[in-house]
Amino acid sequence: MSLDARILEQLYATIQGRQGADPDSSYTAKLFAKGRKKIAQKVGEEGLETAIAAVSEGPEGICAESADLLYHLLVLWADAGLTPGQVWAELAQRQGISGIDEKNSRKG
């Protein structure tokens, strides 16, 4: 596993450790206490902020917003009981498949 992937795995482990913690002691614990709807809202906000940074800021702004987005996405995964390994496996499964074909395969 690359250093980058290990950083995400370590952050995820830290996030998991905050589940059930005192919301006054940790921003992450506060997010968990507010529930999945609030966590999902934060993912959306950070996604929008990342997109805005992409068109109005330089690489540093995009980097900072991307880090925020990844953090909140990891919180959402932890809340849903989803591990980074499951997401990595999904990405691996899609490797070599056209994006158009993959998207069409999900249509019911």
Side-chain angles (χ1 to χ4, degrees):
M1 186 179 312
S2 72
L3 175 61
D4 297 334
R6 283 195 310 263
I7 290 169
L8 288 175
E9 297 281 351
Q10 290 167 355
L11 177 56
Y12 181 81
T14 299
I15 288 167
Q16 277 190 308
R18 299 292 197 277
Q19 284 182 302
D22 178 4
D24 292 330
S25 70
S26 154
Y27 173 73
T28 303
K30 189 177 294 189
L31 282 173
F32 283 127
K34 289 184 176 181
R36 188 169 303 162
K37 184 175 179 180
K38 179 63 174 179
I39 296 167
Q41 177 187 353
K42 289 301 295 181
V43 171
E45 288 172 12
E46 296 301 340
L48 180 59
E49 289 174 14
T50 302
I52 290 169
V55 296
S56 65
E57 299 181 29
E60 298 82 14
I62 298 168
C63 182
E65 294 300 341
S66 294
D68 291 346
L69 176 57
L70 284 170
Y71 160 77
H72 286 91
L73 189 58
L74 289 170
V75 173
L76 179 63
W77 293 353
D79 186 71
L82 188 65
T83 67
Q86 290 171 284
V87 177
W88 308 157
E90 178 67 21
L91 288 170
Q93 184 177 345
R94 294 179 184 190
Q95 200 167 15
I97 299 172
S98 154
I100 292 170
D101 290 342
E102 192 283 325
K103 191 164 183 105
N104 287 338
S105 75
R106 288 188 271 155
K107 291 182 179 173

